[in-house]
Amino acid sequence: MEKSGEQMVDVRSVVEAISTDNEDAPLYQVESLCMRCTQNGTTRFLFTEIPHFRKILLSAFECPHCGERNNEVQFAGELQPRGCSYSLHFSAGDQKMLNRQVVKSESATVKIPELDFEIPPEAQRGTLSTVEGILTKAVDDLQALQEERKKVDSQTAEAIDQFLLKLKACATGDSSFTFNLDDPAGNSFIENPFAPSLDPSLTIKFYKRSPEQQASLGYLVDSSQLGESCDEESIKEVKNTSDQMKREPHGSIGAAAGHRAIAQVNSAEIAENLFRYSTPEEVMTFPSTCGVCAARCETRMFVTNIPYFQEVIVMASSCDACGYRNSELKPGGRIPDKGKKITVCVKNVNDLSRDVIKSDTAGVRVPELDLELTSGTLGGVVTTVEGLITKICENLERVQGFTFGDSLDDSKRSKWQDFRVRLSKLLSLEEPWTLIIDDALANSFVAPTTDDIKDDHQLTFEEYERSWEQNEELGLNDMDTSSADAGYN
């Protein structure tokens, strides 16, 4: 390693080397310009991969003339389909939580709401640090120009000094605060020391990127999606489409057209409409935007009725530009008055093959493993019991970035390895286990293995009244439908 470290190479050879899939990538050194003294320093590149997380490029610069040093983490892999948002709450006096490892990509933003403080992406580029390290670096950056500020604007410098006292109290754990990490690229991470169990102080959410966030990541986004004015041709096209929709007589679309044709005794219209609308699974296609590359694509949608469940809307998108595919299942009809808890006792292979519909508001629990996933962890999926357990295993390994890395101590590593073995034993059916899906909106479903759902004694459904906290999280407490009810009446 020392011999390869002494050899200077050009930038092109480094780019070609890190573009390959070589797992044993060596350490490269490139002569580069120091921004402080304008002399030549040395930049070292190392292409590596955090197990079950991301491929990253580590770079470190050092100038032998002035002593300037800095390091940076860049993500060499792809952008994730969705953005991620981490929220970690710190209690005063908890010094241990400040040592949690943090991967902050070059597109991530750090916020502390209690101090109205924000670290934009360009302030601290991609870093591999801890919560304390990120806050300490922010304090050092603010203190760097304080002497110059006192000479120019003493009031501003004094206000910054007062703010630094509060920020230092957070960095040392003397005051409680909330550490928010938001990354539209989905490549940032905060360690969960309790994994695979839930962390009561850590909240993780995944979201669909807005057009503005797509543009900030370098994707080509249509100007009309950014809220700007559309061109005349687009406006004209939309106007013609809306006029055409308005001219369509009431009752001529859908199954109502068949009834109208029968009432008018028009045999030609009867045949045409009944053949076209005899099935409720009519596939509709409409233009949309790819959630990964922001290119124009098509979304297909149809409404179907699942026996023993309810009417659902199935949506599927595919992008010809980047190959991304996405499928969603949305509930149809009104919001149920009660939540639903589904319990399945898995004993044989037939139970693993049960169809499962898990909505994005459902949580999953396996009591035998003390495993619990909150609502929204896996999103809405249509799969089987076996597929759901496989997705849980893959998601835990992907989200918990430091699961098997060098930064994990032996006790935690053995804990994770033991959990993986126990999780894999669920699919081998060495002993019976229980799958519980709790959905506050009752939009999840597990198919029975018998013709009549009453004859399936391993599957139980339980309805319950939602708590005030659940209604608050779903936005139902502030929902006012009196105007709509009056309009329908």
Side-chain angles (χ1 to χ4, degrees):
M1 181 65 70
E2 292 180 358
K3 292 182 179 179
S4 61
E6 296 175 357
Q7 182 182 2
M8 289 290 181
V9 295
D10 60 315
V11 177
R12 180 177 180 180
S13 62
V14 174
V15 174
E16 292 176 351
I18 65 177
S19 299
T20 62
D21 294 332
N22 183 15
E23 296 181 357
D24 299 327
L27 178 67
Y28 288 91
Q29 291 193 5
V30 177
E31 189 175 7
S32 54
L33 181 67
C34 177
M35 294 292 101
R36 172 172 292 184
C37 66
T38 68
Q39 298 291 327
N40 284 340
T42 303
T43 300
R44 295 176 175 85
F45 293 97
L46 177 63
F47 180 67
T48 184
E49 181 178 1
I50 298 178
H52 307 291
F53 185 52
R54 305 282 188 273
K55 293 181 179 179
I56 61 174
L57 176 64
L58 300 175
S59 62
F61 173 79
E62 183 176 2
C63 178
H65 304 284
C66 65
E68 172 70 9
R69 300 178 64 183
N70 60 66
N71 58 75
E72 186 175 342
V73 177
Q74 294 182 353
F75 291 89
E78 71 280 359
L79 298 180
Q80 303 306 307
R82 294 186 297 172
C84 62
S85 176
Y86 291 80
S87 180
L88 183 61
H89 180 72
F90 288 84
S91 300
D94 194 347
Q95 303 282 345
K96 191 175 181 180
M97 287 186 64
L98 293 172
N99 296 328
R100 294 202 183 195
Q101 300 188 66
V102 178
V103 176
K104 177 186 176 299
S105 74
E106 60 270 14
S107 59
T109 302
V110 175
K111 294 182 180 179
I112 301 179
E114 290 82 358
L115 301 182
D116 197 15
F117 178 63
E118 177 179 335
I119 303 177
E122 59 273 8
Q124 292 189 23
R125 294 183 61 85
T127 55
L128 176 60
S129 182
T130 61
V131 175
E132 181 182 6
I134 290 178
L135 297 182
T136 302
K137 190 176 187 307
V139 171
D140 295 339
D141 292 342
L142 288 174
Q143 283 181 335
L145 300 176
Q146 273 298 87
E147 296 300 328
E148 287 76 3
R149 290 194 191 98
K150 291 179 180 179
K151 298 177 182 178
V152 178
D153 191 349
S154 58
Q155 293 183 352
T156 303
E158 184 178 355
I160 293 178
D161 286 335
Q162 296 296 326
F163 175 79
L164 285 174
L165 295 176
K166 299 179 182 178
L167 189 58
K168 288 179 180 178
C170 295
T172 55
D174 295 333
S175 63
S176 59
F177 67 98
T178 304
F179 185 87
N180 293 335
L181 178 64
D182 185 87
D183 185 8
N187 284 327
S188 294
F189 173 79
I190 295 180
E191 179 190 9
N192 176 13
F194 304 100
S197 302
L198 292 176
D199 185 353
S201 302
L202 180 63
T203 304
I204 307 174
K205 294 182 180 179
F206 299 94
Y207 59 88
K208 185 177 180 181
R209 288 187 287 265
S210 65
E212 290 77 9
Q213 291 173 330
Q214 294 274 22
S216 65
L217 295 176
Y219 286 118
L220 180 62
V221 181
D222 191 0
S223 59
S224 60
Q225 298 176 348
L226 296 173
E228 299 178 0
S229 59
C230 302
D231 54 12
E232 296 180 359
E233 293 183 2
S234 300
I235 297 176
K236 185 177 180 181
E237 181 179 346
V238 173
K239 185 177 181 181
N240 292 338
T241 304
S242 61
D243 291 341
Q244 185 178 1
M245 292 175 62
K246 291 178 181 178
R247 288 195 297 269
E248 202 73 51
H250 178 70
S252 63
I253 299 177
H259 297 292
R260 183 175 59 84
I262 294 174
Q264 295 177 357
V265 198
N266 189 329
S267 59
E269 285 193 25
I270 290 175
E272 179 182 358
N273 287 294
L274 290 186
F275 275 115
R276 184 177 180 185
Y277 298 104
S278 59
T279 171
E281 299 178 0
E282 177 198 1
V283 179
M284 293 169 283
T285 304
F286 53 90
S288 61
T289 304
C290 176
V292 175
C293 67
R296 293 190 179 276
C297 62
E298 286 188 346
T299 297
R300 296 169 181 83
M301 178 183 72
F302 72 88
V303 180
T304 186
N305 198 346
I306 299 177
Y308 304 112
F309 186 39
Q310 64 182 26
E311 187 179 74
V312 296
I313 303 172
V314 181
M315 303 177 66
S317 303
S318 60
C319 179
D320 296 333
C322 66
Y324 174 70
R325 294 183 178 181
N326 180 40
S327 61
E328 294 181 79
L329 188 136
K330 301 292 185 182
R334 64 183 184 88
I335 297 177
D337 297 329
K338 297 181 179 181
K340 181 183 292 185
K341 184 168 71 173
I342 306 172
T343 304
V344 184
C345 183
V346 182
K347 296 181 179 180
N348 50 48
V349 178
N350 293 333
D351 294 326
L352 292 177
S353 303
R354 291 175 185 261
D355 292 327
V356 175
I357 297 176
K358 178 199 168 298
S359 73
D360 51 3
T361 58
V364 179
R365 189 157 59 93
V366 180
E368 288 79 2
L369 292 183
D370 292 330
L371 172 65
E372 183 176 356
L373 301 181
T374 58
S375 60
T377 302
L378 297 176
V381 294
V382 181
T383 180
T384 61
V385 173
E386 181 181 5
L388 182 62
I389 297 300
T390 303
K391 285 180 178 291
I392 290 174
C393 184
E394 294 174 352
N395 185 74
L396 287 175
E397 292 181 352
R398 183 182 65 83
V399 173
Q400 305 302 330
F402 299 97
T403 303
F404 301 106
D406 297 336
S407 59
L408 202 68
D409 55 50
D410 294 336
S411 60
K412 292 183 178 179
R413 184 181 292 107
S414 61
K415 175 184 175 182
W416 262 104
Q417 291 174 346
D418 178 65
F419 177 79
R420 286 191 63 189
V421 172
R422 294 169 59 196
L423 191 62
S424 61
K425 285 183 179 180
L426 296 182
L427 302 180
S428 62
L429 296 175
E430 295 185 7
E431 57 183 16
W433 53 279
T434 307
L435 174 66
I436 301 175
I437 300 178
D438 192 340
D439 192 348
L441 289 182
N443 289 328
S444 298
F445 177 73
V446 176
T449 56
T450 58
D451 295 334
D452 192 347
I453 196 171
K454 297 180 181 178
D455 298 334
D456 193 343
H457 302 293
Q458 296 174 219
L459 177 65
T460 59
F461 295 88
E462 178 186 352
E463 292 186 343
Y464 61 89
E465 295 288 343
R466 286 189 295 266
S467 63
W468 187 91
E469 290 77 12
Q470 288 177 317
N471 287 329
E472 181 70 17
E473 183 179 357
L474 296 171
L476 300 179
N477 290 333
D478 300 328
M479 186 178 295
D480 184 9
T481 60
S482 58
S483 300
D485 295 338
Y488 281 116
N489 294 330

